[in-house]
Amino acid sequence: MRFRFETHDPAQYRRKAKFMAVIVAGQFIIFGLLFSQLLTSRFGSSLGMNALGVLLGLLATSVVVAVLRDRPGMRDQRYAWELKRQLSRVSAHLPALRQAGLEQHDPQALDLLAFYHQGMQQLADLNGRTFDDDSERLAERLRVRQAREECQLPEEVDDVDLKTLEAFRPA
């Protein structure tokens, strides 16, 4: 599976993310209260009925989010969710990637490390956070850039084949 970087407006992304968080939280509260009230009025008031109502509210909210996620206006949100998922996959392989890329100059490992750092930077930008306060990460990003230069690879990657992660499975 190839992952391609996309450009999204950070201000618009944050505005939509905040709006969606409020909507989802509101739906969960309403559904949870509604189901709890229906169940307790039908079967009597108990902690179990209230808990079941909250669980049903969570399930109903999940269905609504799944439907909304496929809407065209949610493209930047879907992209950020997918980027986070792929970065999580790469981070599980970081020790092996660091060894292969920074010590052995493996081009595939260097591509994945460049993807990781670019993706983390893009997530920080989308979320309006500064990424420059982690000196270890900055030092590693510089080492990756230097190793890519030594291997005559471009400084950044536009996309990456995440199937190559299998070659760097942690022991």
Side-chain angles (χ1 to χ4, degrees), residues 99-115:
Q99 181 182 9
L102 297 175
E103 295 174 14
Q104 301 166 2
H105 293 299
D106 181 306
Q108 287 180 332
L110 288 171
D111 282 349
L112 290 165
L113 285 169
F115 165 77

Side-chain angles (χ1 to χ4, degrees), residues 89-106:
R89 286 182 59 204
V90 172
S91 69
H93 296 80
L94 279 177
L97 288 171
R98 287 176 179 134
Q99 181 182 9
L102 297 175
E103 295 174 14
Q104 301 166 2
H105 293 299
D106 181 306

Side-chain angles (χ1 to χ4, degrees), residues 10-38:
Q12 181 179 0
Y13 168 80
R14 286 190 299 275
R15 191 172 48 253
K16 282 184 184 177
K18 288 177 186 175
F19 178 73
M20 282 301 296
V22 168
I23 294 296
V24 169
Q27 285 179 338
F28 174 61
I29 291 169
I30 290 170
F31 282 143
L33 287 172
L34 179 69
F35 285 122
S36 291
Q37 200 164 29
L38 287 172

Side-chain angles (χ1 to χ4, degrees), residues 37-103:
Q37 200 164 29
L38 287 172
L39 288 169
T40 56
S41 68
R42 176 80 172 126
F43 300 107
S45 183
S46 73
L47 180 62
M49 287 297 117
N50 283 320
L52 182 59
V54 170
L55 180 63
L56 290 173
L58 179 63
L59 290 173
T61 302
S62 298
V63 169
V64 171
V65 168
V67 169
L68 288 177
R69 197 170 94 175
D70 293 331
R71 309 282 286 184
M74 297 297 294
R75 182 172 182 205
D76 51 355
Q77 301 298 313
R78 279 192 314 271
Y79 171 76
W81 289 331
E82 185 62 23
L83 178 58
K84 288 175 189 176
R85 190 171 80 82
Q86 299 307 334
L87 287 172
S88 177
R89 286 182 59 204
V90 172
S91 69
H93 296 80
L94 279 177
L97 288 171
R98 287 176 179 134
Q99 181 182 9
L102 297 175
E103 295 174 14

